[in-house]
Amino acid sequence: MKSLVATSLIALFSVSASSTAVGRGTCMAGMGQALAAGHFSGPIICAPQDATFTLVGKTARDGYAIYDYRYRYRPPQAAVDHGGQRILVFRGGEYLGQYAASPPHPVSLSVHGSVLRIAEKPGDGNLPLDFSHGPPRKALISGMEAEFFR
């Protein structure tokens, strides 16, 4: 099953990568192979009009790279677009996992030291996520519990 998922992701990446706009950078900031190797379970969307993949920052002590991934796409045979926001975590170029941040509402993210701050609205009471002992297994995002998963 895992090899089927990895094969599907690599195929999806290969198809999607061809739609990356020239001058916009590489698809998923060049992390597509790390995502496939790490068994990323989300969609890989490369079209710049349908996705953003932004480095929020790196944690001070252990160098976890936190990315904000926002996307929309229409699955085959579907009548409506799907989309969401995911918080992806890498370390040393290796994909470790993610938190599903939306739906319901997109959140803003910032890194301060070893802490990822999550806010539903600017000026909102940020919910800290401490990475000093590794990625936390659970996070509270928009009042909902989100588990760290691949």
Side-chain angles (χ1 to χ4, degrees):
M1 178 70 174
K2 284 186 179 182
S3 64
L4 177 62
V5 171
T7 303
S8 298
L9 282 173
I10 290 168
L12 177 59
F13 173 70
S14 299
V15 171
S16 298
S18 64
S19 66
T20 302
V22 175
R24 170 81 182 183
T26 58
C27 178
M28 304 289 284
M31 300 299 241
Q33 288 183 327
L35 289 166
H39 305 288
F40 176 64
S41 61
I44 295 177
I45 309 299
C46 294
Q49 69 273 16
D50 294 328
T52 60
F53 191 79
T54 307
L55 176 64
V56 175
K58 290 187 178 182
T59 60
R61 177 190 275 166
D62 296 316
Y64 292 101
I66 313 294
Y67 285 85
D68 182 350
Y69 178 39
R70 299 174 191 221
Y71 60 91
R72 67 178 182 184
Y73 69 102
R74 183 164 295 178
Q77 319 299 310
V80 297
D81 286 342
H82 292 228
Q85 178 184 14
R86 306 219 182 172
I87 302 165
L88 277 61
V89 180
F90 294 81
R91 186 174 183 199
E94 178 184 351
Y95 169 69
L96 301 178
Q98 64 181 303
Y99 303 95
S102 74
H105 311 289
V107 294
S108 61
L109 307 170
S110 60
V111 174
H112 302 280
S114 64
V115 174
L116 170 65
R117 295 195 181 275
I118 302 169
E120 199 168 331
K121 300 179 244 178
D124 195 3
N126 289 335
L127 303 173
L129 203 52
D130 188 357
F131 279 77
S132 62
H133 299 290
R137 291 285 155 225
K138 295 183 180 181
L140 189 62
I141 302 173
S142 299
M144 299 172 63
E145 192 173 88
E147 292 197 26
F148 188 67
F149 68 100
R150 289 198 169 225

